[in-house]
Amino acid sequence: MRIVLLGPPGAGKGTQAVLLAKAADIPHISTGEMMRAAIAKGSPLGLKVKGFMDRGELVPDSVVIDIIRDRLSQTDCAKGFLLDGFPRTVDQVKSLDQLLKSLNKELTHIVEIKVADQILIERIKKRGAEGSGRSDDTGEVAAKRLQVYWAQTAPVAAYYREQGRLTEVDGLGSIEEVKARLGKVFGLKCLGPAI
Ligand code: AMP
């Protein structure tokens, strides 16, 4: 399976991505995590992206596209992959399509986890208060990330929807409930029955 998992910050996308990738036995590729690791290492990539991430802004397309191109060329991606946090702009969608075409591959699933805005902001704040360890989970930056999501990333889901490629999953409810809904979409019984 070659999966793109979409959803606003606070939708539970990261949590579900880990569970799903494990159940499907494919690498979980999170551009956010890869860049947080680069910042922690103090690598040139980390230095380049830190300011954008601290402000809750998107890192320039060219930087993330390079990261994805490198990552998808690694051998473990031959059996499939789950992209979490990429693509986040319509230009990234187009680059990904081109890249996959050059590899003679196609996405098999594009899924959006949907949660209402008011709930998202509460969830992100709670995550920050509970010590997620993410400096961008605090009030102002969290609100900025949501704003950036609606301006730049919501059009990604709209683009896939128009092409008839998008499956929407309700993100309301417990981790178990959402996981079971995703299990149904992906035909992964080990994720549990749909509720
Ligand atoms: P995430 O862990 O997916 O919530 O991403 C955290 C931050 O990393 C975002 O707020 C952006 O600053 C940056 N980021 C992650 N993925 C991308 C992407 N595909 N395009 C641009 N910026 C990204």
Side-chain angles (χ1 to χ4, degrees):
M1 284 190 278
R2 287 177 291 276
I3 303 170
V4 162
L5 196 59
L6 300 170
K13 183 167 51 73
T15 306
Q16 297 295 341
V18 171
L19 298 169
L20 200 54
K22 199 168 166 217
D25 190 27
I26 50 177
H28 166 217
I29 301 176
S30 156
T31 40
E33 259 172 37
M34 289 167 85
M35 293 191 287
R36 277 189 289 281
I39 292 173
K41 265 202 305 201
S43 72
L45 171 66
L47 293 177
K48 207 187 298 184
V49 300
K50 186 175 185 320
F52 296 101
M53 292 179 71
D54 283 348
R55 291 188 297 272
E57 293 168 10
L58 292 187
V59 168
D61 285 341
S62 58
V63 176
V64 252
I65 290 163
D66 281 351
I67 295 174
I68 286 293
R69 188 179 297 111
D70 275 5
R71 185 63 187 89
L72 293 187
S73 72
Q74 289 170 21
T75 49
D76 62 338
C77 291
K79 61 179 174 181
F81 51 80
L82 185 153
L83 295 179
D84 163 12
F86 182 94
R88 251 184 168 91
T89 64
V90 173
D91 277 348
Q92 291 181 18
V93 171
K94 292 178 180 168
S95 297
L96 177 63
D97 276 346
Q98 265 175 12
L99 176 63
L100 290 177
K101 204 170 166 193
S102 74
L103 298 171
N104 234 342
K105 286 178 179 166
E106 268 183 21
L107 293 172
T108 57
H109 300 81
I110 302 165
V111 174
E112 182 188 26
I113 302 181
K114 298 197 73 124
V115 177
D117 238 9
Q118 312 88 287
I119 294 169
L120 293 174
I121 196 89
E122 289 309 315
R123 282 197 191 171
I124 302 175
K125 277 188 191 159
K126 193 166 165 242
R127 195 160 83 179
E130 285 171 355
S132 68
R134 283 185 54 164
S135 56
D136 59 355
D137 273 346
T138 53
E140 235 171 75
V141 181
K144 172 74 181 174
R145 284 166 58 216
L146 213 49
Q147 203 184 326
V148 165
Y149 176 82
W150 287 116
Q152 290 170 273
T153 305
V156 168
Y159 183 89
Y160 284 133
R161 193 179 298 115
E162 271 164 35
Q163 295 183 334
R165 299 165 76 192
L166 186 73
T167 306
E168 295 179 1
V169 168
D170 181 4
L172 256 191
S174 67
I175 291 177
E176 286 300 315
E177 284 165 337
V178 179
K179 189 178 82 163
R181 287 179 203 133
L182 287 166
K184 199 175 174 194
V185 170
F186 292 100
L188 291 166
K189 286 211 181 72
C190 50
L191 284 179
I195 294 166

